[in-house]
Amino acid sequence: MSSIPRLPTELTVGHVAGIIAAGLVVVRFLCPAVLTYILAGLLRDTETASTWTVASANLAPSIWTLLLRTDSSGAGSTVRTIIKIVCKCIPLLALLCAITGVVTPLGLGEELTTLPERVGTFEYVRDESAYGQGTTARGQYQLSRVCVLPASQTRANRLAACPYSNTEVIFNEDDEGFTVELPNGYNTSIPELSREIYTSGTPPSSTVSNFYDIEWRQLTTRNEMSTEDVPEYPVGMFRHLDSFILENRYKLAEGLVIDAKIGGIGFRNHTIPVGMTLGATWSEDLLFIEPSTTCVNTNVTLDFEVITDYNRTARSGVNNVVLTDRGGFSQMNSTLPSFDNLDGQVSPDLVGRAYKAAWLNNAFTMLYMNVTNEKDKPVKGMKSFSYMNSEPGKQFPIPLESFDDYKSLRFSENFGDYLHLDPFNATSTDEFPNPFNISRKDFDAIHILCSGTGPADNANITNIYTGCALLRGAPQRVDGGPPLLFENRSKWSTPLHACASALRATIKTVVFSINGTTLDDLVVQSITPKTYASPEDAPLWGMEDFPFPLGNHFPVWGLIAPEYASRDNVASIRKPDFYLPGYSADGLFTPMIRSGVAESQNLAGASFAQTTMNAVLKVVAKGEGEWPFDMRGAASMAIFRRWQELSKDAARAGEIVDLLWTDLAASAVVGTRSTNGPFSASPQSQSQPQGANIMVQPVGKRITYDIRFGIPAFFLIVWLGVILLMALLSTCCCGGRGGFKSLRRRIEQLSVGRVFTTYLYPDQSTLTMPARQWRAANGEKMVSLGVGVRRGDAEDFGYRGTQGQGDEYGLIEGLKR
């Protein structure tokens, strides 16, 4: 059965106008028709001549003449042709006017369009979501910084003076090492010189945040337990507020613009333009910090069988775990790869780092399982990879670890963790004799060889943060069954990727639109990297250059003015993006965000990005633990499905790391700069005149028209032109028969009352006498219409109607004197 077409339910302005016009047309015809119907009933056979004239003027042109086919309808062939044509045109034109009046408005419409740009006035708008509710109010805590020395250099207090600080530190040396004294206490506040340098590249009129505009979302205070010289000072604190891991869109949260499509957060204390009733669009340049992850497929998979049989179910719920060679062993390039690690800012080479990690992971695994050999072993002079005990598709049984979660996504900074090696000794099994004494320490070296930096390296601009990990993807079902169901004895295969992640600051152009007055009404239309006309136009990035090791120091960085580029202890580089310094360790003391644990300082821009990535590659890797949301797809099927799609391809597997970092980072920090300048949400800043002049393009309404509905009006205009031309010709070319004088004469000649009195009272009335004179002399004369016509004084002139028609017609057959 075919469906019945449905009429559109949304009425436009044109539709409403058409309906109104149609109603008016009906009323236009109906009201005169009803009134003339009433008028005919009110008339008597005997009325004054003026009454007959007025009544005739309204009855003759009414629609009743057509409906009742009366004399004036023009029926018959005795009417002169040209007169008949003109008379027929009059109702036709009236009908065309009615149709035009109804149809023409139907083409009307309206649409929203952009109006000319103008400088907008912005006001702060609060986020009512969990991110807004979980954000400490700004202005209550000051930024703070604490610097320490390596533990090996002191045997007591490790505190050191931070760059540009006025803290006085006295070092004492004895046989046991150094001790530190703080005679005037420890100043945790930010030195003004540091603020001056690292805010110089972002004046208050800029919407781009600087280093000090980035703050921890939640703040608290702490005491330095190692000494009484440091008073209680403010520090950051982390709590995972919400998760948007499944939202593939741009998102706004208190203090942030979140790119949940590819990963990254932009810093903006949200404001919206006022007075934009229909909305507006505008763009801003914002500082973004974004992860950049590259993964390389090891071409080795971890395969297993799901087992749910009673009394046979292992704690892990799997059985028959094997490592399958997909070319990662048998087709491996025997040349040890390398990458350029001289200047990470110029050449981070994440592909080279990830490839080296994948190569070393496979090489150590092969040595452990005696798939191949290393140089000079087992015989001196023997080349490495002299033999190959593998081929594509060959499977190697792996010891089952009951506490390992094989059925979800997993990261591990410990490469080769699927072998479950002893962390302290080189071990062997019946399956793998381990002839080359490969231990956990060999695999641990992969992390530092991939990242290229460690805690002892100097905190300089070339030593960028690089986090390396082995990504165990979400398993893919390979037996043809439902891809998301872990059914008994189903077969699964897990890809293994080596990943390298860096963190970079960059400037992006964000296009906003607003249609309302809340943050939910603010929409991010696009986020694109800022373009520069030449390399000289790229931003100038600066960073502290002091002899602190990365393991104890998070340097200050940011956009600086050119005059500070040559200053002592300031390293600088001009380029579109800036890779953040730092290191990623695989030890127990790796700095990382932890839920509910206070930070050591209130300087989020220095460390949040690195510690968040460490959490992704370490804590999230080994289980949810303190994380309130299922980040790995262990319980959420939707998340598991998304990780399946991304992790099966090494080219997209890095997106998993980037999205997880973004999800955690959004709960960690906020941006405090807005269009109104820094700290626009705080009471102190509301009176600040400084801020950016943002050109806003308001949205307004524009009238549109569908020309198809104007066709009747077009024909009406053509007819009007023809009629006006005929009127002009009638006036100029008809020998005096045209013009207003002739029009007046014809109207008076056809006046019914005048016709009656002229023939009933010929001595007092003529067809050409002036109207005022006629009304004065004849207007009140009574004229009686019955079968014939006679004077109102009952004088019978003997005029009768046509024989056999009866009195109801009241027609004059002829008038004779």
Side-chain angles (χ1 to χ4, degrees):
M1 180 178 179
S2 61
S3 60
I4 300 175
R6 305 179 67 178
L7 295 175
T9 57
E10 183 178 352
L11 293 178
T12 65
V13 173
H15 295 157
V16 175
I19 293 172
I20 294 174
L24 293 176
V25 168
V26 172
V27 172
R28 171 66 182 83
F29 282 97
L30 184 60
C31 288
V34 173
L35 289 176
T36 53
Y37 176 83
I38 296 172
L39 177 62
L42 294 175
L43 287 173
R44 299 170 297 188
D45 286 346
T46 301
E47 298 287 357
T48 63
S50 293
T51 300
W52 288 118
T53 296
V54 173
S56 174
N58 288 279
L59 286 172
S62 71
I63 195 173
W64 297 112
T65 59
L66 294 175
L67 297 178
L68 301 178
R69 305 286 291 174
T70 60
D71 293 348
S72 59
S73 65
S77 59
T78 58
V79 181
R80 190 151 57 99
T81 302
I82 187 62
I83 301 300
K84 189 173 184 177
I85 292 175
V86 174
C87 291
K88 290 294 184 182
C89 286
I90 294 175
L92 290 177
L93 284 174
L95 178 62
L96 181 58
C97 287
I99 294 174
T100 302
V102 174
V103 174
T104 303
L106 295 178
L108 286 173
E110 64 178 11
E111 66 179 7
L112 297 179
T113 186
T114 53
L115 303 178
E117 287 186 333
R118 66 172 186 257
V119 177
T121 300
F122 288 76
E123 66 179 10
Y124 169 74
V125 59
R126 179 172 173 78
D127 180 11
E128 300 297 338
S129 71
Y131 292 100
Q133 299 296 329
T135 300
T136 302
R138 299 298 102 179
Q140 298 182 5
Y141 298 93
Q142 299 297 319
L143 298 180
S144 65
R145 190 180 190 188
V146 175
C147 298
V148 297
L149 293 173
S152 61
Q153 295 185 15
T154 62
R155 55 184 171 86
N157 189 355
R158 297 173 57 200
L159 292 175
C162 291
Y164 308 116
S165 173
N166 61 2
T167 299
E168 183 180 355
V169 179
I170 299 176
F171 292 91
N172 299 312
E173 183 180 5
D174 56 25
D175 294 339
E176 297 182 5
F178 286 98
T179 59
V180 176
E181 294 183 11
L182 304 171
N184 300 318
Y186 195 90
N187 186 359
T188 62
S189 62
I190 305 301
E192 286 302 318
L193 181 56
S194 179
R195 285 184 181 271
E196 176 186 331
I197 295 173
Y198 295 102
T199 62
S200 61
T202 56
S205 59
S206 172
T207 57
V208 178
S209 296
N210 60 55
F211 176 88
Y212 291 109
D213 291 324
I214 304 171
E215 296 187 8
W216 290 107
R217 185 174 293 278
Q218 294 189 350
L219 298 168
T220 185
T221 59
R222 66 174 289 180
N223 288 313
E224 182 60 47
M225 300 301 295
S226 62
T227 178
E228 296 180 356
D229 296 321
V230 182
E232 186 173 291
Y233 64 96
V235 295
M237 187 171 63
F238 176 79
R239 184 180 181 186
H240 199 182
L241 301 176
D242 200 358
S243 177
F244 47 84
I245 206 70
L246 292 176
E247 300 181 36
N248 186 26
R249 64 184 181 93
Y250 301 131
K251 182 179 176 67
L252 297 173
E254 181 73 27
L256 295 179
V257 176
I258 303 169
D259 188 348
K261 293 184 177 182
I262 62 174
I265 55 174
F267 300 96
R268 182 182 190 267
N269 193 11
H270 295 301
T271 57
I272 59 174
V274 297
M276 306 296 169
T277 56
L278 295 178
T281 59
W282 71 98
S283 65
E284 298 177 22
D285 290 339
L286 301 179
L287 176 70
F288 272 75
I289 293 182
E290 58 184 13
S292 177
T293 303
T294 298
C295 293
V296 172
N297 196 338
T298 63
N299 291 317
V300 175
T301 60
L302 195 65
D303 302 334
F304 59 87
E305 176 187 36
V306 171
I307 185 73
T308 59
D309 290 339
Y310 182 69
N311 287 336
R312 292 187 57 193
T313 303
R315 187 185 182 104
S316 60
V318 303
N319 198 9
N320 299 327
V321 181
V322 297
L323 196 66
T324 304
D325 180 5
R326 309 289 181 181
F329 293 166
S330 55
Q331 299 174 1
M332 183 178 180
N333 189 330
S334 60
T335 302
L336 176 66
S338 62
F339 60 89
D340 182 7
N341 193 36
L342 294 178
D343 191 342
Q345 294 291 344
V346 176
S347 178
D349 195 8
L350 297 181
V351 175
R353 296 172 190 262
Y355 178 70
K356 185 170 186 176
W359 192 95
L360 291 171
N361 178 83
N362 287 6
F364 288 140
T365 301
M366 294 165 68
L367 294 175
Y368 174 77
M369 297 189 301
N370 197 25
V371 173
T372 190
N373 68 296
E374 62 176 309
K375 185 179 179 181
D376 291 330
K377 294 182 180 179
V379 179
K380 186 172 180 60
M382 194 173 185
K383 294 182 178 180
S384 58
F385 297 95
S386 295
Y387 61 87
M388 180 63 60
N389 295 327
S390 184
E391 60 184 1
K394 184 173 181 178
Q395 295 183 333
F396 302 87
I398 296 296
L400 180 64
E401 172 58 55
S402 60
F403 292 95
D404 199 344
D405 187 359
Y406 293 92
K407 295 186 289 187
S408 65
L409 182 84
R410 173 171 172 169
F411 292 101
S412 177
E413 75 281 8
N414 297 320
F415 287 84
D417 69 335
Y418 44 81
L419 297 174
H420 307 293
L421 300 179
D422 186 285
F424 304 105
N425 302 303
T427 59
S428 62
T429 64
D430 293 339
E431 294 86 359
F432 307 119
N434 192 13
F436 305 103
N437 294 320
I438 300 299
S439 68
R440 172 77 172 272
K441 293 182 179 180
D442 295 302
F443 283 97
D444 289 345
I446 299 176
H447 189 279
I448 191 70
L449 292 173
C450 169
S451 64
T453 56
D457 289 312
N458 287 332
N460 58 43
I461 198 170
T462 62
N463 287 331
I464 67 171
Y465 173 93
T466 307
C468 298
L470 182 67
L471 169 60
R472 186 189 298 180
Q476 312 281 332
R477 189 163 181 176
V478 294
D479 59 3
L484 299 178
L485 301 182
F486 289 105
E487 297 175 323
N488 192 27
R489 296 186 177 84
S490 56
K491 311 295 184 185
W492 298 80
S493 180
T494 301
L496 300 177
H497 305 298
C499 300
S501 301
L503 298 160
R504 63 190 177 198
T506 187
I507 299 175
K508 293 189 175 184
T509 300
V510 182
V511 177
F512 294 95
S513 67
I514 184 72
N515 188 14
T517 58
T518 68
L519 188 62
D520 291 335
D521 301 317
L522 183 61
V523 177
V524 176
Q525 299 290 349
S526 65
I527 300 177
T528 55
K530 185 175 176 61
T531 57
Y532 305 96
S534 65
E536 290 73 21
D537 295 327
L540 179 63
W541 306 90
M543 194 189 89
E544 290 179 340
D545 189 11
F546 288 89
F548 281 93
L550 285 172
N552 302 92
H553 184 66
F554 290 100
V556 176
W557 56 269
L559 294 164
I560 63 174
E563 56 266 28
Y564 293 99
S566 58
R567 187 182 180 91
D568 292 341
N569 303 118
V570 175
S572 63
I573 186 171
R574 187 180 292 276
K575 58 196 294 281
D577 46 36
F578 175 78
Y579 285 91
L580 302 188
Y583 80 102
S584 173
D586 58 356
L588 296 176
F589 302 103
T590 301
M592 60 186 171
I593 55 172
R594 302 174 188 268
S595 185
V597 178
E599 298 292 320
S600 61
Q601 56 189 3
N602 183 18
L603 200 64
S607 61
F608 92 90
Q610 300 92 324
T611 56
T612 300
M613 184 61 76
N614 288 340
V616 171
L617 301 181
K618 186 178 180 67
V619 176
V620 178
K622 295 188 175 181
E624 303 307 321
E626 58 197 78
W627 307 104
F629 302 103
D630 180 17
M631 307 296 287
R632 300 181 298 124
S636 170
M637 183 171 290
I639 294 177
F640 177 79
R641 180 57 179 165
R642 189 175 192 194
W643 293 160
Q644 272 189 328
E645 290 298 319
L646 294 178
S647 63
K648 68 182 179 181
D649 182 6
R652 299 196 63 192
E655 296 180 31
I656 301 175
V657 181
D658 297 344
L659 293 176
L660 286 172
W661 180 91
T662 303
D663 197 90
L664 295 180
S667 293
V669 292
V670 297
T672 60
R673 177 179 292 242
S674 75
T675 54
N676 295 332
F679 299 102
S680 66
S682 63
Q684 297 90 333
S685 67
Q686 298 299 322
S687 60
Q688 290 184 359
Q690 299 173 325
N693 290 328
I694 303 295
M695 298 303 295
V696 176
Q697 196 163 48
V699 176
K701 291 182 178 180
R702 182 179 67 178
I703 301 300
T704 62
Y705 189 75
D706 189 341
I707 195 64
R708 294 173 297 176
F709 292 95
I711 294 176
F714 172 76
F715 283 110
L716 183 61
I717 293 173
V718 172
W719 271 102
L720 179 61
V722 172
I723 293 171
L724 292 177
L725 180 61
M726 292 176 61
L728 181 62
L729 294 175
S730 174
T731 302
C732 302
C733 305
C734 292
R737 288 181 293 170
F740 290 103
K741 184 176 181 180
S742 175
L743 177 62
R744 178 185 292 275
R745 184 170 69 252
R746 298 308 179 202
I747 292 174
E748 291 174 347
Q749 288 174 344
L750 296 175
S751 173
V752 173
R754 184 185 290 262
V755 171
F756 288 157
T757 57
T758 297
Y759 287 95
L760 294 177
Y761 305 95
D763 54 338
Q764 301 179 28
S765 176
T766 67
L767 294 178
T768 58
M769 62 190 304
R772 182 176 298 178
Q773 183 180 349
W774 178 86
R775 285 195 297 270
N778 302 285
E780 297 182 357
K781 288 184 168 56
M782 302 298 293
V783 177
S784 179
L785 301 179
V787 176
V789 58
R790 58 184 179 177
R791 293 183 180 181
D793 54 9
E795 182 180 350
D796 190 356
F797 281 75
Y799 305 132
R800 297 289 185 266
T802 304
Q803 184 177 0
Q805 290 183 327
D807 292 341
E808 67 272 22
Y809 288 94
L811 301 176
I812 300 176
E813 180 183 10
L815 296 175
K816 299 179 183 178
R817 295 189 65 181

